[in-house]
Amino acid sequence: MAPQKQVQQHLTSAGTSSFLNTCFNGLNALSGVGIITTPFALAAGGWLSLLLLLIIATSTFYTGLLMKRCMDVDPAMRTYPDIGDRAFDKPGRILVLFTMNVELYFVATGFLIIEGDNLSNLFPQIGFDIYGIHVSSKKSFVIIVAAIILPTIWFNNMKILSYISATGVLASLVILGSIFWVGRFDGVGFQEAGKIVDWKGIPTALSLYTFCYGAHPVFPTLYTSMRNKHQFSKVLLLCFVLSTITYSMTAIVGYLMFGSKVESQITLNLPTHNRSSRVAIFTTLVNPLVKYALLVTPIVNTIEERLPSQYTRKCSLFIKTTLLITTAVIALEFPFFGYLMSLVGSLLTATTSIILPSLCYLKISGSYKTFGLELVIIGFIVLFGIFVAIVGTYTSLADMAQKL
């Protein structure tokens, strides 16, 4: 079949999802726990750092388009690892799988930290002693939540959890609305002026803003699911515009409310006795509970694919349980949500959402052979991604080292 016909068939076949359905799924992919970190990111970098949020949103939107162009070249590509494989053969597939899975692993760890931080904020008196060792409220809740999550990761059928967790858009709006209500009607106010810019905090702001746009591993699936693939660019544009508005509004409202005192999770600043605050906090807590199993499923699948075909269900349960235990241990030993997500954003999200899509496109399309405006733009995006990865990773590790 001629290449032109292959592409045309690819654009008009296989998909069943409508424009609105794909938009909803795209917004859910972009609407994550990053929303509660944006006020802290803005406080770290100052008001001018909002320009960085726009630059990151624009860059990651463009790299999403580059992934679409990669898939148009070869209809056989259906996943992100397929793109890496087509561009750089087996090493490309391994690199994509590694960065994707490590990112998912640390985001799952961050979920446990969120649960421990917010539940201990609501119920600080909870704690227990074991063999003469006192376990604090925060650590107690990490252990309790891990025990609650354990049965959910043993399920082979993820449909129920996927339906429940597909509420990221609603959760983001509820959190934003609740935070605004606390500021406007519950006496907190919007009186903080804030800084214009804080150069020391720019790397942290960059990393956390980047973390908000880590949905690229999902984009190939969304694209292949569409009935009319010509509309995917419009879907991406709408998703990025709406999510950026939500992120920026939450950042602005939270920074005006608490200024430099804002915590790495805005929910930790909210007065726990107010009903609106509790709505925001409990909304924040529900998503990690139901999304944890979905997050670790790709990791489990990647591990199981490399096991002998005769492995048993007990082996699968062991892998899932081990993943949960290790993430819980990290959450107990390194309970620094803001710095951990900053590390994920700089080292992993910058790689999966900025650097790799750009390099894969240049290799697959052959654009690197011709100097022009497109090559200059992509080159700038790659250099920007490398800058975020290096500076953000160094800053995150240094900040965590100081906390230990």
Side-chain angles (χ1 to χ4, degrees), residues 114-254:
I114 288 175
E115 298 290 331
D117 287 347
N118 284 277
L119 285 170
S120 64
N121 194 37
L122 287 173
F123 310 105
Q125 71 279 7
I126 300 296
F128 60 88
D129 295 299
I130 180 168
Y131 296 111
I133 300 173
H134 178 70
V135 180
S136 67
S137 176
K138 186 182 297 187
K139 291 186 176 183
S140 298
F141 278 116
V142 169
I143 295 169
I144 292 169
V145 169
I148 293 172
I149 288 174
L150 184 59
T152 70
I153 66 172
W154 286 342
F155 294 154
N156 284 327
N157 190 335
M158 294 283 105
K159 280 189 177 181
I160 297 176
L161 291 179
S162 64
Y163 288 137
I164 298 172
S165 69
T167 56
V169 180
L170 178 61
S172 296
L173 294 176
V174 169
I175 291 169
L176 173 57
S178 300
I179 293 170
F180 179 80
W181 187 279
V182 171
R184 179 65 180 85
F185 300 106
D186 289 343
V188 175
F190 306 101
Q191 71 283 349
E192 296 290 339
K195 297 180 180 178
I196 297 298
V197 65
D198 185 343
W199 295 109
K200 290 183 179 179
I202 288 295
T204 299
L206 262 175
S207 301
L208 289 174
Y209 289 149
T210 304
F211 171 69
C212 294
Y213 294 95
H216 285 59
V218 180
F219 290 164
T221 303
L222 296 179
Y223 180 53
T224 55
S225 72
M226 283 197 76
R227 185 184 307 124
N228 185 354
K229 294 177 176 59
H230 290 287
Q231 296 182 321
F232 186 71
S233 298
K234 295 179 181 178
V235 168
L236 273 188
L237 179 61
L238 183 60
C239 290
F240 271 86
V241 168
L242 292 178
S243 60
T244 301
I245 290 172
T246 306
Y247 284 137
S248 57
M249 286 182 65
T250 305
I252 292 169
V253 169

Side-chain angles (χ1 to χ4, degrees), residues 52 96-97 118 128 262 270 302 304 317 332 336 340 359:
L52 297 176
V96 170
L97 279 171
N118 284 277
F128 60 88
V262 70
L270 301 179
T302 301
E304 289 179 348
L317 293 178
L332 291 170
F336 314 121
L340 180 62
L359 295 179

Side-chain angles (χ1 to χ4, degrees), residues 25 59 89 120 136 212 231 235 245 281 285 297 321 327 390 396:
N25 291 329
S59 299
D89 299 322
S120 64
S136 67
C212 294
Q231 296 182 321
V235 168
I245 290 172
I281 294 169
L285 292 174
T297 296
T321 305
T327 55
I390 294 174
S396 303

Side-chain angles (χ1 to χ4, degrees), residues 73-95:
V73 171
D74 184 357
M77 289 186 287
R78 304 185 67 82
T79 65
Y80 196 175
D82 288 344
I83 295 174
D85 188 271
R86 173 61 188 264
F88 302 107
D89 299 322
K90 189 175 181 179
R93 176 178 289 274
I94 292 172
L95 179 59

